[in-house]
Amino acid sequence: MRGAKILIESLLREGVDTIFGYPGGAILHVYDELAHARDRIGHVLVRHEQGAVHAAEGYARSTGKVGVVMVTSGPGATNCVTGLANALMDSTPIVCITGQVPTHLIGNDAFQEADVVGITRPCTKYNYLVKDVRDLARVVKEAFHIARTGRPGPVVIDLPKDVTAAKTTFVWPEAVDLPSYRPAGKGDPEKVRQAVAMMVAAERPILYVGGGVVNADGAAALAALAEALNLPVTPTLMGLGAFPSAHPNCLGMLGMHGTYAANMGVSNADLLVAVGARFDDRVTGRLKDFAPHARVVHVDVDASSINKNRVVEVGIVGDARSVLEQMLLCLDRDMRLEGPPPREAWWATLRGWSSQHPFRYRRRRDVIMPQAVIEELHRLTKGDAIVTSDVGQHQMWVAQYYGFKRPRQWLNSGGLGTMGYGFPAAIGAAKAHPGRPVVCVTGDGSFQMCIQEMATAVQEKVNVKVVVINNNYLGMVRQWQELFYSRTYSEVGMEWLPDFVKLAEAYHARGLRATVPGELRPVLEQGLATPGLVVLDMIVSQEESVYPMVPAGASLQEMVLEPPDDGSEDPEPRDLA
């Protein structure tokens, strides 16, 4: 069997049903075999390789499976680098197969040659250069194992063209033998017991949960623990959905644009239990003032994350779901509680902060407010849509105002902050969940980063709605220039935008636009009810900013709640239900 067919058969053994990719000369043997396997494995032809990785990320993060990318050598491979770096930062399992020039030409500056292993080493969990076809099946088996276990991440398989042409006997390894790679599973039992005892005894505890809980499918165990111990829960941006936003124990997101209750809760807690979170600088603010009164427990599958940014009292290396289940078992077996610890005073303080300072914005009758777009989107989708976003103000408004019910419902670029992620990620999610509503909320700047994937969406007939929060600015950069650079707007104006409605029509999609508040609901209703790709161009208030906000370098206690009063209508609190 030739190498190209071994690759396809190996992918099928790993349960792959969809590949996101773009062909080229160095990978043509594989695409030839792929054509013969169309009844067993699908392929999505993207319009740019960066889009292929983001689409695979959307597929992976919405399903929990490994996303698969296949591209050619040279620029095909280097165009994947942004997506690979994004997947690494957000712990997304990806296997990326890159074509390479024949082995005898490697190092000769051959046409479309690039040192893919060298280029991708810093932005992948692991990478391979396959030089012998007899290694290919084993490498594929190992690559999927590495991508999906431990802290998930991207793995590259660089595949020279002569290897895909060479023939050998196909032998599928039934097991992986990697002595130097032993991903963590359960946590140390004694440390788990110590952590539970601390949670039972604490007067002002906070449970701080990140994307690691989502990756580990630990949401059910998290909810059970929070309810058993009556713990307040605050998710990170990546952890949204790991704990239902409407749950009475949920304080909302913490960090730079988090809730007052979450940030003040962390600042006054006597115990902080971090699960699957990494003390990101956008969460902690000024690190030395983060949770200044708290003893800290940290649960993470990646041992290198423990004590990396914050020195902790108890560090537990383990899979988030496994450790949470160990904690529950410990409660049942060793600590027979008569009921959840009431902590009346602590909850009264937290509830007071929540009611005094909910998310709010100035409502206007003359212009669409971006927050109103997200609130209306939530009402019309009943909070059930898979929502992707790009990066910037719109991302934070979705995080603040959508209200997520479950894990794998919210897909965004949390670590690298990649503009252009949202739309192809939505295509990947829609391929994985053809019966569910998928909405990409993006900005007029971000959408243009991967806008060519409209052709992919139409060709694949995916049911994706793109909501463009259009303010003619790179909004978050403008906000920072307004606040910290004396309103010196430098290169943030998007005066010359395409007509997104006409552009959608040019790609054979549907385009709709809302320009005044009265058009918001009917346009959203029409767009959501229209099958296929629909681009909804929302012309919103140009200089609206995201609040609350913790200024860069400040502590969580120094968060700014509202913009200066400019005399416009009074803010109305958000209905948290």
Side-chain angles (χ1 to χ4, degrees):
M1 187 182 293
R2 70 172 174 169
K5 189 168 185 178
I6 289 173
L7 175 64
I8 298 299
E9 292 298 324
S10 299
L11 295 177
L12 287 166
R13 296 291 180 101
E14 285 293 335
V16 175
D17 56 21
T18 306
I19 298 171
F20 301 88
Y22 202 104
I27 200 75
L28 275 184
H29 294 321
V30 180
Y31 270 87
D32 181 55
E33 288 294 342
L34 187 61
H36 298 298
R38 279 179 183 151
D39 58 333
R40 295 182 292 163
I41 191 165
H43 182 271
V44 176
L45 176 62
V46 297
R47 298 309 190 261
H48 191 285
E49 291 87 349
Q50 181 183 346
V53 187
H54 294 329
E57 289 180 276
Y59 178 95
R61 285 180 57 186
S62 66
T63 62
K65 300 178 182 177
V66 177
V68 179
V69 178
M70 191 157 65
V71 298
T72 192
S73 62
T78 57
N79 281 344
C80 290
V81 168
T82 298
L84 293 171
N86 191 76
L88 183 69
M89 290 286 278
D90 287 348
S91 306
T92 305
I94 296 291
V95 169
C96 180
I97 299 153
T98 56
Q100 182 56 277
V101 300
T103 50
H104 69 278
L105 290 179
I106 292 176
N108 286 2
D109 294 334
F111 176 67
Q112 292 194 330
E113 183 195 358
D115 176 10
V116 174
V117 168
I119 291 169
T120 62
R121 183 170 290 126
C123 61
T124 54
K125 187 176 178 184
Y126 200 73
N127 59 19
Y128 292 89
L129 170 61
V130 184
K131 292 185 175 179
D132 190 325
V133 69
R134 291 171 293 184
D135 296 332
L136 183 52
R138 173 186 58 80
V139 165
V140 173
K141 181 80 174 179
E142 289 177 1
F144 276 79
H145 176 70
I146 293 169
R148 68 162 69 95
T149 55
R151 179 179 176 178
V155 177
V156 163
I157 302 174
D158 199 30
L159 200 50
K161 189 171 185 178
D162 57 322
V163 173
T164 61
K167 293 185 178 180
T168 190
T169 303
F170 175 49
V171 179
W172 179 244
E174 294 303 324
V176 170
D177 182 21
L178 293 170
S180 61
Y181 178 69
R182 293 283 185 265
K186 290 186 176 181
D188 180 287
E190 185 50 39
K191 289 186 176 180
V192 170
R193 195 175 191 289
Q194 185 181 356
V196 173
M198 292 166 71
M199 284 189 273
V200 171
E203 295 182 358
R204 302 186 308 280
I206 294 282
L207 197 49
Y208 147 48
V209 299
V213 177
V214 177
N215 289 339
D217 293 325
L222 170 66
L225 184 71
E227 290 168 0
L229 290 175
N230 196 22
L231 296 169
V233 179
T234 177
T236 67
L237 179 70
M238 296 297 289
L240 290 173
F243 194 72
S245 298
H247 193 289
N249 285 37
C250 188
L251 301 178
M253 182 175 73
L254 82 164
M256 180 174 280
H257 296 292
T259 68
Y260 185 80
N263 284 346
M264 292 305 109
V266 168
S267 299
N268 289 276
D270 63 355
L271 176 68
L272 184 70
V273 180
V275 183
R278 55 191 172 90
F279 297 87
D280 178 85
D281 60 301
R282 279 206 160 192
V283 163
T284 65
R286 190 165 60 233
L287 188 60
K288 72 181 183 65
D289 293 321
F290 180 70
H293 312 295
R295 304 166 74 189
V296 178
V297 174
H298 189 187
V299 178
D300 204 288
V301 73
D302 183 355
S304 69
S305 289
I306 307 287
N307 292 319
K308 183 177 183 178
N309 293 328
R310 168 72 187 246
V311 175
V312 303
E313 186 165 337
V314 178
I316 302 173
V317 180
D319 168 81
R321 175 179 173 176
S322 298
V323 174
L324 289 166
E325 290 176 344
Q326 284 180 274
M327 289 175 169
L328 286 166
L329 185 63
C330 189
L331 272 178
D332 291 341
R333 186 187 59 210
D334 303 335
M335 302 177 190
R336 302 188 186 283
L337 302 177
E338 295 182 356
R343 301 188 176 104
E344 291 98 338
W346 182 227
W347 272 111
T349 301
L350 294 170
R351 301 274 186 235
W353 284 330
S354 289
S355 62
Q356 291 161 18
H357 300 291
F359 288 136
R360 64 178 70 196
Y361 62 93
R362 299 180 192 282
R363 299 177 190 270
R364 293 172 57 177
R365 296 187 179 87
D366 59 331
V367 64
I368 297 172
M369 299 302 285
Q371 301 93 330
V373 177
I374 309 305
E375 288 181 321
E376 196 63 53
L377 183 65
H378 181 273
R379 275 191 284 271
L380 292 173
T381 59
K382 299 181 173 58
D384 283 330
I386 295 174
V387 182
T388 74
S389 85
D390 276 299
V391 173
Q393 290 181 314
H394 65 275
Q395 176 190 30
M396 294 303 150
W397 284 318
V398 177
Q400 292 178 337
Y401 287 90
Y402 192 78
F404 293 94
K405 296 179 177 178
R406 56 184 173 273
R408 304 197 183 282
Q409 188 189 359
W410 164 234
L411 317 176
N412 78 118
S413 175
L416 194 64
T418 305
M419 294 172 68
Y421 166 88
F423 180 41
I427 295 172
K431 286 295 292 183
H433 306 277
R436 288 185 59 184
V438 178
V439 179
C440 168
V441 179
T442 185
D444 47 285
S446 288
F447 188 33
Q448 293 183 81
M449 290 279 185
C450 281
I451 201 167
Q452 73 284 349
E453 301 306 336
M454 280 204 284
T456 307
V458 172
Q459 184 166 321
E460 291 294 324
K461 299 181 174 61
V462 291
N463 194 27
V464 170
K465 315 307 171 196
V466 179
V467 177
V468 183
I469 304 298
N470 188 344
N471 58 10
N472 286 99
Y473 276 122
L474 298 175
M476 191 60 89
V477 185
R478 179 205 56 74
Q479 178 171 336
W480 280 55
Q481 290 179 346
E482 177 181 318
L483 294 173
F484 310 120
Y485 295 89
S486 306
R487 201 180 272 267
T488 301
Y489 292 172
S490 178
E491 302 300 327
V492 290
M494 287 271 173
E495 291 88 355
W496 292 102
L497 286 173
D499 183 323
F500 290 119
V501 171
K502 290 182 178 177
L503 196 57
E505 292 168 353
Y507 276 104
H508 309 284
R510 184 75 186 274
L512 298 168
R513 178 174 292 121
T515 58
V516 294
E519 294 174 342
L520 173 57
R521 185 182 178 93
V523 165
L524 277 176
E525 283 179 326
Q526 186 180 356
L528 292 169
T530 303
L533 175 64
V534 182
V535 176
L536 298 141
D537 188 20
M538 299 290 164
I539 309 302
V540 301
S541 172
Q542 277 199 306
E543 298 195 356
E544 181 65 4
S545 294
V546 182
Y547 286 97
M549 179 179 186
V550 177
S555 72
L556 298 188
Q557 298 96 310
E558 297 170 274
M559 66 188 302
V560 180
L561 294 172
E562 294 177 355
D565 187 359
D566 61 1
S568 58
E569 295 179 37
D570 290 336
E572 298 175 19
R574 173 199 177 199
D575 180 2
L576 290 173

